[in-house]
Each structure stands twice: as C-alpha cells, then as structure tokens.
C-alpha cells in the first residue's frame, strides 16, 4: 500500500505537465530560437500553428526543452511579427507565403496573395502557363534530356520548339520533318491562347528550370541545312552548364 500511495502524486504531476503550457513559450524553428506567448501562437484558432499548441502539445522538444518545429527558421520571424502586430511582410514574400500556407494562417495567406509579388505569380504568370499544354511535363522532359547527355560533358544542349498559334504549329511540324536530328529530342511548347509572347514563355522556361537549381541559358537555334523555314522562328537551344 505504501508503494502505491507514493506513485499516485507523481502520476498526476506528469499528466498535468503535459496538458498545461506556460504562457511564455520558447521555440526552436529549424535552429532559429524564438520566445513568444502562447496567446500569440494561438491568435488564429483555425490555423495549424494554433493547433500545435492546443490541448496536449504535439511537438517534440529539443535538448534544452524548447518546442521544435522542423521548418525554415529564417522566415518564422515574419510569421511571428504578423501574429504580434498584423504587419504583413514586404521582404521574402514568396518564402513567407510558403510558410503561411504550411501554418495555415488564412488571413495572412489572403493578404500575401494580394501583394504584387504573389498576385503576379498566381494570377498572371501561373494562369498564362496553365494555358500552355503540358508545360510542367515539358520542363521535366527538358531536364531528363539534359541529364542524359551530361556524361563526361561540361554542358548539355536541349532543343525546344516554341509555337504560339496552330498555324505556327503546322509550320513547325513541317520544319521538324526536314530537321537532320532525332525528333524525339526536340521538346515542343505551345500553342497557347493568351497575350504573352514567345519571348515571355522562353523567360518562364528559364525561370522555372533555374528554380530547380540548374544553370541555364538559351539562344535561337539555327539549323545548318535542309530547312525550308528560318529555324529561329521556332527553335531555341537551351544550354545546361554543369560545372
């Protein structure tokens, strides 16, 4: 009986510590240390961040007892500033937007989507690219071709055919038939029904490939022989530089 009575208070103490959080919270976010209040973290009850600190804590602690969140700590300061003062960040907007999506802070998400950076990306550029058939798949195909040709080479060249209209697409097919190369290695973009030009699409291709960590440039591709059309009307060579 004496052993049982000694253990009961200990059990209550441990259970209570799991369910009761201090109003001051220390955080380790990806190695960056922050101190804030529980009320700040729970400011938006429907968010994932608030859920992390509602009821029994759902996060692991680091060796010093701080709650650990495995996210980029650099941008958490902007999240915290918004929770404290409703200040919408004007720096690192794209990265903060990703973190706002992760923490599911709906008011911040909506305000960031109204910013020029996110609005331009979501409404202008992404909506344009959604009208270019198989755009994302073609980006991946370009990368696969470039990597396949990278063995013992400093650079890899990928030929792309860019056509804006159905008429250009037909001319491009005729041009491909006269090309002295493997047609399977030519990546075709278009046609599309939107205002942006071929130059705009080429810039998008370069931007999205570089966003994946590749060093890339492009120039018009001029065929040496057997062409009934000016090849630079449709064909461009993207150069991947490996070292």
């Amino acid at each position: 009986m004496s052993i049982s009575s000694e253990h009961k208070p200990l059990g209550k103490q441990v259970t209570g510590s799991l369910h009761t959080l201090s109003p001051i919270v220390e955080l380790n976010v990806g190695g960056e240390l922050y101190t804030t209040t529980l009320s700040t973290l729970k400011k938006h009850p429907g968010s994932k961040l608030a859920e992390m600190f509602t009821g029994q804590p759902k996060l692991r602690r680091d060796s010093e007892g701080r709650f650990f969140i495995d996210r980029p700590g650099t941008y958490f300061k902007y999240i915290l500033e918004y929770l404290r003062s409703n200040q919408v960040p004007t720096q690192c907007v794209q990265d903060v937007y990703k973190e706002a999506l992760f923490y599911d802070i709906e008011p911040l998400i909506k305000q960031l989507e109204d910013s020029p950076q996110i609005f331009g990306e979501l409404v202008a550029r992404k909506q344009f690219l959604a009208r270019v058939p198989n755009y994302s798949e073609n980006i991946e195909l370009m990368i696969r071709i470039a990597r396949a040709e990278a063995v013992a080479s400093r650079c890899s060249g990928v030929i792309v055919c860019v056509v804006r209209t159905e008429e250009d697409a037909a001319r491009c097919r005729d041009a491909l038939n006269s090309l002295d190369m493997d047609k399977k290695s030519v990546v075709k973009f278009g046609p599309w029904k939107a205002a942006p030009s071929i130059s705009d699409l080429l810039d998008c291709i370069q931007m999205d490939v570089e966003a994946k960590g590749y060093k890339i440039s492009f120039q018009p591709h001029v065929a040496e022989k057997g062409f009934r059309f000016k090849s630079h009307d449709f064909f461009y060579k993207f150069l991947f530089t490996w070292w």
Side-chain angles (χ1 to χ4, degrees):
M1 294 295 293
S2 61
I3 296 177
S4 176
S5 62
E6 289 176 359
H7 278 260
K8 286 181 180 179
L10 181 59
K12 290 181 180 178
Q13 182 181 359
V14 172
T15 302
S17 67
L18 288 175
H19 288 275
T20 305
L21 284 177
S22 167
I24 306 300
V25 181
E26 292 187 346
L27 301 171
N28 178 343
V29 185
E32 298 282 342
L33 306 181
Y34 294 94
T35 301
T36 186
T37 64
L38 187 60
S39 60
T40 296
L41 296 171
K42 297 171 67 174
K43 183 174 182 179
H44 297 285
S47 68
K48 182 177 179 180
L49 184 62
E51 178 63 22
M52 291 177 180
F53 296 93
T54 300
Q56 183 171 334
K58 303 168 179 64
L59 297 170
R60 295 181 179 179
R61 295 179 184 261
D62 66 12
S63 60
E64 299 297 324
R66 294 175 289 247
F67 288 106
F68 180 73
I69 302 177
D70 193 14
R71 295 294 295 181
T74 303
Y75 311 116
F76 189 74
K77 64 182 179 182
Y78 299 108
I79 299 292
L80 207 52
E81 186 61 32
Y82 176 77
L83 296 175
R84 288 167 172 163
S85 62
N86 290 323
Q87 181 176 331
V88 179
T90 57
Q91 301 177 18
C92 308
V93 173
Q94 296 278 0
D95 295 300
V96 176
Y97 179 66
K98 293 177 184 177
E99 296 309 297
L101 289 172
F102 174 79
Y103 294 113
D104 196 20
I105 304 173
E106 193 63 31
L108 177 57
I109 292 171
K110 290 181 178 179
Q111 291 184 69
L112 288 173
E113 286 179 348
D114 284 337
S115 69
Q117 299 94 321
I118 303 298
F119 181 86
E121 175 69 12
L122 294 180
V123 176
R125 199 177 85 91
K126 286 293 177 64
Q127 289 298 315
F128 159 52
L129 295 178
R131 302 184 184 190
V132 180
N134 304 314
Y135 176 80
S136 297
E137 293 84 349
N138 284 339
I139 292 291
E140 296 300 327
L141 178 57
M142 286 179 62
I143 292 172
R144 288 200 301 271
I145 293 173
R147 291 174 69 94
E149 297 180 357
V151 178
S153 300
R154 181 169 187 177
C155 302
S156 299
V158 179
I159 306 300
V160 302
C161 174
V162 183
V163 292
R164 184 174 178 182
T165 66
E166 292 290 350
E167 180 182 3
D168 286 344
R171 294 177 65 200
C172 180
R173 284 192 294 271
D174 289 341
L176 275 173
N177 290 332
S178 64
L179 261 178
D180 186 20
M181 67 166 57
D182 182 3
K183 299 179 183 62
K184 292 182 180 179
S185 67
V186 179
V187 182
K188 178 176 170 292
F189 288 87
W192 63 86
K193 294 181 180 180
S197 65
I198 287 178
S199 177
D200 294 326
L201 181 64
L202 292 169
D203 288 340
C204 286
I205 294 171
Q206 182 173 13
M207 184 186 308
D208 289 330
V209 173
E210 288 181 340
K212 295 179 180 292
Y214 295 92
K215 184 178 180 181
I216 190 174
S217 60
F218 68 88
Q219 61 186 19
H221 176 67
V222 181
E224 295 180 359
K225 59 180 179 178
F227 237 57
R228 286 187 289 166
F229 307 104
K230 291 185 294 183
S231 58
H232 59 262
D233 286 345
F234 308 115
F235 294 92
Y236 298 83
K237 184 173 185 178
F238 279 80
L239 194 66
F240 289 71
T241 302
W242 304 108
W243 52 273

